[in-house]
Each structure stands twice: as C-alpha cells, then as structure tokens.
C-alpha cells in the first residue's frame, strides 16, 4: 500500500501574491488556471496592443498560510471525516467549515501583501479605492473530466482594503460550499489537497513517484529525453518504448486503460496516468511533481515533491473471507481478460 503525503510548504511573503505581469501559464499550480492564463495573455498580447485587464493573484501558498495561521487544517479534516462517515449532514459540514474561514484572521504578511498590491493596482488605474472583482482561480479547474465550473463564489464591486480582505476570506470559505464538497467527492478529489492538483487521468498501476518533468511532444524529439525523468507526451506508440524504459513515470494527454502507454507501463511496472487531456499544456520541462496512482481509479499529478511511504501487507494475516473474496476477484478478472481477448480478435473457441 502506498501513501502520498502532500506537503504544502509556505514560502516567503513574495510568494503570497503575484501581479499578473509576473505570472505565466506554467504557474497554474501556484495561482490557478484563470490567473495563469491572464498572465500569459498579458505577456503575449500586451506587446501587440491588445488590452488585457490588469490585476493580481493570491497564491496557493497564501491559502495554506491562512489555514495554518488560524489552526484550522485538522479541524477541517475532522469535519469532512465526520460527514463521510455519516455523522453529520452535508449542509452542517459545509456551514461549519465555512465558519472556520470566516472567523479567521489574516496573517500580517499576507494582509500586507494583498493591500500593497491593491494600492499599486489602484494607482495604476488612477482611481483611489478601485472597485475590483474577487474570483476563485482553482488550480484543479478546467481538467478534462472535472471543470469545477461555478463551484466557488465571485464577489463584484469590491472597494477598499478592508472590504477586499473580507472578500478574499469569503472566497476561501466558498471552497467548501455544499456543492463544492459534493463535487470533489464525486470526482475523487482530496478535500485537503485540491490546491496542488495539476492534472488528472486514469491511473495505471498503484504506485507513486516524485520527480522532474521532461516534456517531449513529438517522436522526433525523443533524443531530448532526460533519463530518470517523468515523461509527458501526447500519446505513445512502439517507437517510444526505448524512452519509456528510461522514465520514472509516464503521463499522456490521450489514451485509456488499453492504450499503448497503459499496456507498456504495466509491463515495465511504471506508474502512469493516461488520458489527462491537457498534461502537455499544463506541465513543462523541469517542473517538480508527484505522480500518484495510489488513490484509486483516478491518477493525480501534484505540484512539488511529496513524501511517499509504502506499507507492506502480510496476506497470511488477513481474515480468510477477505482472501477468498480477493481470489474470486482475480479469477473474475482473468475471465474478463480472456473474453476481452476473444472479442478483440473476433474469434471464438471451437466446440
């Protein structure tokens, strides 16, 4: 059994707020999809005279800084656990978690960073106490099978530093609206680590690994692959096998459980996540990530290096009924594979 512990480190104050002008597409794990796209647009289109609204983003580090300063991380986890175990209703859980955020206080460095950025934005626009919109920009949004559309709240016409801090606090709290909690459960997301999901797809295997991305979009660029890296590409075919043997893990945009990448990954005992839809867009060479196939049918790519531990289970110590059930599952799976092979090749056993 593999456990992946997502480590949410908080950096210095400079990593708490980012001006859009200093944000790029590769910063999605830090500021979310909307913000990273706005930053990329400002860079790409600003020089061509196309106006893109200015602004700034609070980072995922600022969020965890707020959570830990107010000591609510374990409280949130306990409330979610009670709901999952049927000890409380969804409405009760959502209300309780949101109150933890709404009654919290801002860390001084985060509050100063937000107010300073707001003053700079107001000065740039020439309007004192500029009215702004405060919106969520989740780092796990707009994934192929999980858009997170409309899950968090937006606040418009916010004017003044105190009002801005309050709106940001309420935006944090809206991460735990009833609909957002139930949506994450339906999609298989961890309520306490959503801020670090970069991509998700079908998990191949049950292992996890941390390492550095090497993005290779086309077979003609295979020679650029760095041995021991995590291979990210659109899809694979037999030409990719020599590179796949040298990879620590594999992530693809396309493919299912019977795709080439999935089959070869199983043969090589490599963790792989296939069918992400957008990995070649949101991941980039040199990026440190954790690839987790240890959390069920869905595989997750997390930002940063995680602490991975392995637990060995002695099957001889399991209850007899559990072993019998596992044996029946294996036999059923083998029968299913046989039927799949027969159907795939279009032939049947002769009588």
């Amino acid at each position: 059994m593999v456990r992946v512990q997502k480590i949410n480190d908080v950096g210095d104050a400079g990593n708490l707020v980012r001006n859009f002008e200093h944000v790029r597409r590769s910063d999605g794990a830090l500021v979310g999809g909307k913000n990273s796209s706005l930053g990329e647009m400002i860079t790409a289109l600003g020089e061509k005279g196309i106006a893109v609204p200015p602004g700034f983003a609070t980072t995922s580090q600022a969020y965890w800084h707020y959570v830990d300063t107010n000591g609510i991380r374990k409280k949130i986890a306990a409330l979610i656990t009670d709901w999952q175990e049927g000890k409380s209703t969804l409405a009760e859980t959502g209300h309780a978690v949101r109150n933890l955020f709404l009654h919290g206080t801002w860390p001084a460095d985060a509050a100063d960073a937000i107010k300073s950025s707001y003053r700079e934005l107001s000065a740039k626009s020439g309007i004192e106490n500029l009215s702004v919109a405060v919106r969520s920009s989740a780092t796990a949004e707009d994934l192929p099978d999980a858009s997170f559309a409309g899950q968090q709240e937006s606040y418009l016409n916010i004017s003044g530093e105190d009002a801005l801090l309050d709106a940001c606090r309420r935006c944090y709290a809206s991460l735990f609206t009833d609909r957002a909690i139930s949506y994450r459960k339906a999609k298989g997301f961890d309520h306490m680590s959503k801020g670090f999901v970069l991509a998700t797809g079908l998990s191949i295997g049950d292992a996890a690994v941390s390492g550095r991305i090497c993005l290779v979009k086309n077979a003609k660029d295979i020679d650029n692959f760095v041995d021991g890296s995590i291979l990210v590409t659109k899809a694979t075919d037999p030409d990719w096998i020599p590179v796949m043997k040298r990879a620590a893990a594999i992530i693809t945009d396309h493919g299912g459980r019977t795709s080439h990448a999935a089959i070869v990954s199983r043969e090589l005992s490599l963790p792989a996540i296939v069918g992400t839809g957008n990995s070649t867009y949101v991941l980039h060479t040199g990026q440190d990530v954790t690839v987790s196939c240890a959390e069920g049918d869905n595989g997750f790519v997390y930002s940063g290096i995680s602490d991975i531990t392995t637990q060995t289970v002695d099957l001889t110590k399991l209850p007899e009924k559990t072993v019998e059930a596992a044996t029946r599952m294996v036999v059923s799976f083998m029968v299913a594979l046989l039927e799949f092979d027969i159907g795939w090749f279009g032939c049947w056993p002769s009588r």
Side-chain angles (χ1 to χ4, degrees), residues 248-309:
I250 297 168
I251 305 170
T252 66
D253 283 347
H254 310 296
R257 297 198 184 281
T258 58
S259 65
H260 179 270
I263 293 171
V264 174
S265 295
R266 291 190 193 98
E267 292 177 353
L268 298 175
S269 298
L270 289 176
I273 300 177
V274 300
T276 63
N278 64 347
S279 58
T280 58
Y281 179 81
V282 299
L283 303 176
H284 59 89
T285 295
Q287 187 175 14
D288 289 332
V289 301
T290 296
V291 176
S292 174
C293 297
E295 301 173 68
D297 292 338
N298 291 326
F300 299 95
V301 182
Y302 294 103
S303 173
I305 303 298
S306 298
D307 181 24
I308 301 171
T309 59

Side-chain angles (χ1 to χ4, degrees), residues 72-94:
I72 60 177
R73 188 189 293 241
K74 291 183 178 180
K75 295 177 182 178
I76 296 171
L79 288 167
I80 294 295
T81 298
D82 285 347
W83 168 62
Q84 292 173 331
E85 294 178 351
K87 297 177 182 179
S88 61
T89 67
L90 175 61
E92 291 170 341
T93 301

Side-chain angles (χ1 to χ4, degrees), residues 43 65 82 101 136 201 204 211 218 220-221 242 244 246 256 309 316:
T43 301
H65 192 24
D82 285 347
F101 283 92
S136 67
I204 307 301
N218 303 299
K220 64 182 179 63
D221 297 322
M244 297 171 76
R246 292 149 42 202
T309 59
T316 63

Side-chain angles (χ1 to χ4, degrees), residues 181-296:
I181 296 173
S182 59
Y183 188 84
R184 284 195 296 275
K185 181 180 180 181
K187 294 297 181 178
F189 283 87
D190 186 336
H191 297 279
M192 297 305 293
S193 60
K194 174 175 178 287
F196 291 85
V197 178
L198 300 176
T200 183
L202 297 175
S203 62
I204 307 301
D206 58 2
V209 65
S210 290
R212 185 155 292 178
I213 293 292
C214 186
L215 175 60
V216 184
K217 290 187 177 181
N218 303 299
K220 64 182 179 63
D221 297 322
I222 281 179
D223 291 341
N224 295 330
F225 182 74
V226 178
D227 289 359
S229 297
I230 295 171
L231 173 63
V232 175
T233 189
K234 295 178 180 179
T236 67
D237 58 38
D239 291 338
W240 290 79
I241 292 179
V243 172
M244 297 171 76
K245 290 181 177 179
R246 292 149 42 202
I250 297 168
I251 305 170
T252 66
D253 283 347
H254 310 296
R257 297 198 184 281
T258 58
S259 65
H260 179 270
I263 293 171
V264 174
S265 295
R266 291 190 193 98
E267 292 177 353
L268 298 175
S269 298
L270 289 176
I273 300 177
V274 300
T276 63
N278 64 347
S279 58
T280 58
Y281 179 81
V282 299
L283 303 176
H284 59 89
T285 295
Q287 187 175 14
D288 289 332
V289 301
T290 296
V291 176
S292 174
C293 297
E295 301 173 68

Side-chain angles (χ1 to χ4, degrees), residues 315 318-328:
L315 296 180
L318 290 176
E320 185 175 344
K321 290 185 178 179
T322 302
V323 176
E324 289 179 1
T327 303
R328 286 197 297 271

